[in-house]
């Protein structure tokens, strides 16, 4: 048994040394779609990377500062700090109102209402629309949250987000004016500096945020583990 121990320790050391070289597929693991209910819907986990609402002005909801990005004009690509969103085939964006003066929408806080008051969609609802996040740290874990809400219509459309896995949200769960839509939170490990999420729907995208929930493992971690295993091997040899 003792004769096989050095080989086992060496194999384990090689395994841990190789970990940083493993490529992580940037597939998003989505949570269950959740009905919009209040400010605490806005996640505060980890560290904020970027938060965007498709409106002229920005606002702060649950302590998270959202940047307003106007979705109007002839541009087929909207840029923001940390990425861009583009329609395909190329078409202009349209900013449409999705708020209401009726409950339960009007019972939300003023700031939360502002975050989901409008949405961005390609002209005449042309899809797919691709959201590209940039400046990511390879190997770090991220949390992506987005909102789909249209309280101004008595209909229920849907939006599907795809990044390896897919999730579909409803625009208005009650199909009544004043009704609320849904939000979802997904997590992924960046396998490069960018992440692309494709949206297909007759609906639009109200807002989203990206948060970093873990840092990249220190490069020296594997080396330290290898040294520790080596020391253990030497002690067992002396024994």
């Amino acid at each position: 048994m003792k004769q096989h121990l050095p080989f086992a320790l060496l194999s384990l050391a090689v395994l841990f040394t190789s970990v940083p070289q493993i490529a992580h597929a940037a597939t998003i693991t989505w949570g269950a779609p959740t009905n919009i209910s209040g400010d605490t819907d806005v996640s505060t986990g980890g560290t904020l990377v970027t938060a965007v609402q498709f409106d002229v002005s920005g606002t702060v909801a649950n302590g998270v500062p959202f940047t307003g990005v106007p979705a109007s004009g002839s541009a087929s690509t909207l840029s923001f700090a940390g990425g861009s969103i583009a329609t395909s085939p190329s078409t202009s964006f349209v900013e449409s109102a999705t708020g209401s003066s009726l409950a339960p929408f009007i019972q939300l806080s003023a700031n939360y209402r502002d975050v989901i008051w409008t949405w961005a969609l390609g002209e005449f609802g042309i899809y797919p629309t691709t959201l590209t996040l940039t400046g990511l740290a390879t190997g770090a874990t991220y949390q992506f949250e987005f909102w789909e809400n249209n309280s101004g219509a008595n209909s229920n459309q849907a939006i599907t987000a795809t990044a390896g896995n897919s999730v579909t949200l409803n625009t208005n769960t009650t199909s009544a004016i004043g009704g609320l839509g849904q939000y979802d939170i997904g997590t992924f490990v960046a396998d490069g500096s960018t992440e692309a999420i494709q949206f297909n729907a007759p609906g639009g995208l109200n807002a989203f945020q990206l948060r970093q929930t873990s840092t990249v493992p220190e490069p020296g971690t594997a080396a330290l583990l290898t040294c520790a295993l080596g020391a253990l091997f030497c002690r067992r040899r002396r024994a």
Side-chain angles (χ1 to χ4, degrees):
M1 181 66 68
K2 288 185 178 180
Q3 292 179 347
H4 294 286
L5 184 60
F7 177 78
L9 287 172
L10 179 59
S11 299
L12 188 59
V14 172
L15 172 64
F16 277 94
T17 303
S18 302
V19 167
Q21 300 174 1
I22 296 175
H24 295 279
T27 295
I28 295 182
T29 300
W30 300 105
T34 305
N35 293 347
I36 291 170
S37 61
D39 284 32
T40 55
D41 297 345
V42 182
S43 175
T44 57
T47 303
L48 178 66
V49 177
T50 188
V52 170
Q53 66 182 80
F54 293 101
D55 196 354
V56 175
S57 61
T59 192
V60 177
N62 201 29
V64 176
F66 285 80
T67 299
V69 175
S72 59
S74 59
S76 61
T77 300
L78 301 175
S79 297
F80 52 86
S84 63
I85 183 169
T87 58
S88 178
S90 180
T91 183
S92 61
F93 277 97
V94 176
E95 182 178 296
S96 299
T98 61
S100 172
S101 60
L102 300 180
F105 179 82
I106 200 63
Q107 295 172 334
L108 298 174
S109 72
N111 283 13
Y112 196 16
R113 293 199 306 266
D114 190 50
V115 170
I116 58 176
W117 191 278
T118 57
W119 66 14
L121 69 162
E123 188 174 12
F124 308 117
I126 295 176
Y127 286 89
T129 296
T130 301
L131 171 65
T132 302
L133 303 167
T134 61
L136 307 183
T138 302
T141 302
Y142 291 89
Q143 180 187 89
F144 178 79
E145 180 177 20
F146 72 103
W147 285 262
E148 169 74 353
N149 180 77
N150 188 2
S151 300
N154 58 353
S155 62
N156 183 11
Q157 296 175 315
I159 186 169
T160 298
T162 302
N165 296 319
S166 297
V167 65
T168 298
L169 303 188
N170 294 323
T171 63
N172 188 325
T173 59
T174 62
S175 299
I177 295 178
L180 297 170
Q182 296 180 311
Y183 70 94
D184 197 74
I185 297 175
T187 59
F188 68 95
V189 177
D191 65 351
S193 61
T194 63
E195 171 72 353
I197 304 169
Q198 189 177 87
F199 295 92
N200 283 280
L205 182 64
N206 298 86
F208 67 87
Q209 68 163 327
L210 178 70
R211 307 186 71 87
Q212 185 173 333
T213 56
S214 78
T215 57
V216 180
E218 291 292 335
T221 302
L224 288 173
L225 179 59
T226 302
C227 291
L229 290 171
L232 178 61
F233 164 69
C234 291
R235 288 182 61 184
R236 287 187 176 272
R237 283 291 298 271
R238 286 197 297 269

